[in-house]
Amino acid sequence: MKLLKISHIGIASPTLQEAMERLERLFGIKHDHIEEVADQKVRTAFYPIGESTLEYLESTDPEGAVGKFLEKKGPGIHHLAFEVDDVDAAVKELLDKGVQMIDKTPRSGAHGNRIAFIHPKETGGVLIEICQPSGAH
Ligand code: CMX
């Protein structure tokens, strides 16, 4: 697989509202898109910055991945997402190497992207998402 760029950095926040106010106050930037990803139990706000994007994550359910993360670790960086041009091939390659995948087949994420997560125990404690933009491939 070829990693094309850091697609986005996911940051867990107790509320999107406080994250949005902080980003506007500190840097004068506004989100370009808000989206709920129901099956991930999150609402997300996106801030494109150059070639990459910050994805702020608010939990919609304390039992979801971000809800549990906020409870255990508090606000902060939740995951890194690497863009690839073929997420199916990337997941197959990782599975063939015996890597523990959270998603053994890619699924839909925000923006209609196709995504798959690698378990953080495989990556030195960083949750990594492999992501193929909608429309690519
Ligand atoms: N980054 C690094 N480590 C993490 C982590 C994260 N974001 N979330 C959990 N962990 C670690 C925990 O610290 C814990 O480590 P130890 O065993 O050393 O204590 C371990 O993973 C298990 O954590 P847990 O709180 O018991 O949580 P679960 O096992 O139930 O779930 C995980 C952990 C990673 C499997 C789950 O969060 C997951 O499936 N994540 C992928 C989906 C996701 O994060 N969705 C939200 C974003 C969606 C989007 O961007 O659209």
Side-chain angles (χ1 to χ4, degrees):
M1 99 186 65
K2 183 167 181 209
L3 303 182
L4 300 175
K5 66 176 193 179
I6 294 177
S7 157
H8 60 268
I9 300 168
I11 301 173
S13 178
T15 68
L16 288 186
Q17 191 59 38
E18 71 176 67
M20 293 190 293
E21 286 171 9
R22 186 180 310 109
L23 288 164
E24 181 148 20
R25 179 166 54 82
L26 294 179
F27 307 116
I29 55 176
K30 292 184 194 292
H31 63 277
D32 79 337
H33 180 73
I34 288 193
E35 183 173 342
E36 180 159 348
V37 185
D39 74 323
Q40 292 296 305
K41 302 180 170 62
V42 289
R43 279 179 74 233
T44 60
F46 290 89
Y47 289 81
I49 296 181
E51 286 281 290
S52 196
T53 299
L54 300 181
E55 177 190 33
Y56 276 79
L57 299 155
E58 170 189 86
S59 169
T60 57
D61 180 341
E63 292 306 310
V66 172
K68 285 169 77 175
F69 180 90
L70 282 166
E71 174 67 25
K72 276 194 177 173
K73 302 193 183 188
I77 293 181
H78 177 263
H79 67 270
L80 289 184
F82 296 143
E83 182 175 320
V84 297
D85 66 358
D86 187 343
V87 70
D88 295 284
V91 168
K92 182 175 182 321
E93 189 178 324
L94 289 162
L95 287 171
D96 287 349
K97 288 180 187 165
V99 172
Q100 184 182 335
M101 299 296 296
I102 292 167
D103 302 294
K104 293 192 174 54
T105 53
R107 57 188 161 77
S108 289
H111 279 299
N113 292 347
R114 297 186 65 240
I115 65 171
F117 283 93
I118 305 173
H119 200 283
K121 80 175 193 187
E122 296 279 11
T123 57
V126 178
L127 179 60
I128 291 180
E129 173 187 328
I130 306 293
C131 151
Q132 177 182 335
S134 58
H137 201 66

